[in-house]
Amino acid sequence: MATQNCRPSLLICCVLLIALLAGGESLAPRINKENCTYVVTIETTCTKGAQTSNHIRLRFGDTNSNDIVVHHLNSKHIRRVDPIEPDVLDDVPRKPFQACVVDEFQVKGQCVDSPVCYLYLKLSGTDDWRPGFAQVHVLEGSHSHLSSNYFYFRRYLPRHVWHGLDMCDKEVTPFGIKHKRKVFAKKPVMKKLVRTP
């Protein structure tokens, strides 16, 4: 008899839960999946041997852990621009990362919530590359004030590691500005098996 009294209340709870979920309300937290378009400007210096034909990866983001990773930046090339004036030199597709050239790339990714404050580049391949500067512009109107400042490199990049600048976490000390180092991922350490005779 007691189980018959529980069945109607259990049935009512199930119906209310189904109605709540069918009405569009979710019990899971909402995640902002809004995407933005970014234009990334990268200069290659005029030093002899500064150009590269290798694949370049790009990683940038903000203080709120919005991390945008572009695995094949070379394929996102849109145009070459004049380094002194912001005029477009040509819209003819050309190979990016040539010496003394400023290239623009169009990238889509999740929107940043605060200004872009870190940028890292990764060189994959065998030849060297010496970028001068990089900058990220947010194209969407409501997010356009979140564009980055310039990130200066002016050195040959090491191969197969992320190399860049993080201006997010700064600490002012009596000796100058101290920047915290960002570590993205650690490779697992492989232990060698030692056989005993």
Side-chain angles (χ1 to χ4, degrees), residues 13 24 28 40 115 118 162 169:
C13 288
V40 180
Y118 70 86
W162 289 107
D169 299 321

Side-chain angles (χ1 to χ4, degrees), residues 63 117 166-171 177-182:
T63 56
C117 57
D166 184 348
M167 305 304 240
C168 300
D169 299 321
K170 297 189 265 189
E171 179 183 344
I177 296 175
K178 178 181 177 184
H179 300 282
K180 294 181 182 174
R181 190 172 154 213
K182 191 179 281 297

Side-chain angles (χ1 to χ4, degrees), residues 16-86:
L16 286 175
L17 182 62
I18 291 171
L20 181 68
L21 292 174
E25 296 295 324
S26 174
L27 299 176
R30 294 182 190 263
I31 298 173
N32 183 10
K33 293 194 176 191
E34 183 182 2
N35 280 335
C36 286
T37 304
Y38 302 93
V39 171
V40 180
T41 306
I42 298 178
E43 174 205 37
T44 300
T45 62
C46 296
T47 306
K48 183 179 180 181
Q51 72 277 357
T52 186
S53 59
N54 290 334
H55 287 288
I56 305 296
R57 293 181 185 195
L58 169 73
R59 169 178 246 141
F60 64 91
D62 63 3
T63 56
N64 298 331
S65 299
N66 293 311
D67 191 37
I68 295 96
V69 178
V70 182
H71 293 285
H72 297 287
L73 186 60
N74 306 48
S75 65
K76 310 293 184 190
H77 187 252
I78 53 174
R79 62 185 168 201
R80 212 177 254 195
V81 295
D82 186 347
I84 298 184
E85 297 290 327

Side-chain angles (χ1 to χ4, degrees), residues 4-186:
Q4 289 180 347
N5 290 340
C6 292
R7 284 185 184 165
S9 61
L10 181 63
L11 182 63
I12 291 172
C13 288
C14 289
V15 169
L16 286 175
L17 182 62
I18 291 171
L20 181 68
L21 292 174
E25 296 295 324
S26 174
L27 299 176
R30 294 182 190 263
I31 298 173
N32 183 10
K33 293 194 176 191
E34 183 182 2
N35 280 335
C36 286
T37 304
Y38 302 93
V39 171
V40 180
T41 306
I42 298 178
E43 174 205 37
T44 300
T45 62
C46 296
T47 306
K48 183 179 180 181
Q51 72 277 357
T52 186
S53 59
N54 290 334
H55 287 288
I56 305 296
R57 293 181 185 195
L58 169 73
R59 169 178 246 141
F60 64 91
D62 63 3
T63 56
N64 298 331
S65 299
N66 293 311
D67 191 37
I68 295 96
V69 178
V70 182
H71 293 285
H72 297 287
L73 186 60
N74 306 48
S75 65
K76 310 293 184 190
H77 187 252
I78 53 174
R79 62 185 168 201
R80 212 177 254 195
V81 295
D82 186 347
I84 298 184
E85 297 290 327
D87 296 330
V88 176
L89 292 179
D90 58 27
D91 287 329
V92 177
R94 296 186 189 259
K95 196 162 114 177
F97 310 121
Q98 298 302 305
C100 296
V101 173
V102 177
D103 295 299
E104 285 187 351
F105 304 87
Q106 187 168 330
V107 176
K108 291 186 185 265
Q110 66 185 6
C111 291
V112 292
D113 299 326
S114 59
V116 173
C117 57
Y118 70 86
L119 185 137
Y120 289 86
L121 297 167
K122 187 175 184 180
L123 173 66
S124 299
T126 57
D127 58 354
D128 293 326
W129 179 47
R130 190 172 193 241
F133 67 81
Q135 186 179 29
V136 179
H137 295 280
V138 184
L139 292 184
E140 272 64 31
S142 63
H143 293 89
S144 62
H145 66 285
L146 303 177
S147 296
S148 75
N149 292 321
Y150 285 97
F151 296 95
Y152 292 98
F153 291 89
R154 295 190 180 131
R155 65 181 66 112
Y156 287 100
L157 288 187
R159 292 184 195 103
H160 308 292
V161 295
W162 289 107
H163 184 78
L165 299 165
D166 184 348
M167 305 304 240
C168 300
D169 299 321
K170 297 189 265 189
E171 179 183 344
V172 178
T173 68
F175 305 105
I177 296 175
K178 178 181 177 184
H179 300 282
K180 294 181 182 174
R181 190 172 154 213
K182 191 179 281 297
V183 177
F184 293 110
K186 293 185 178 180

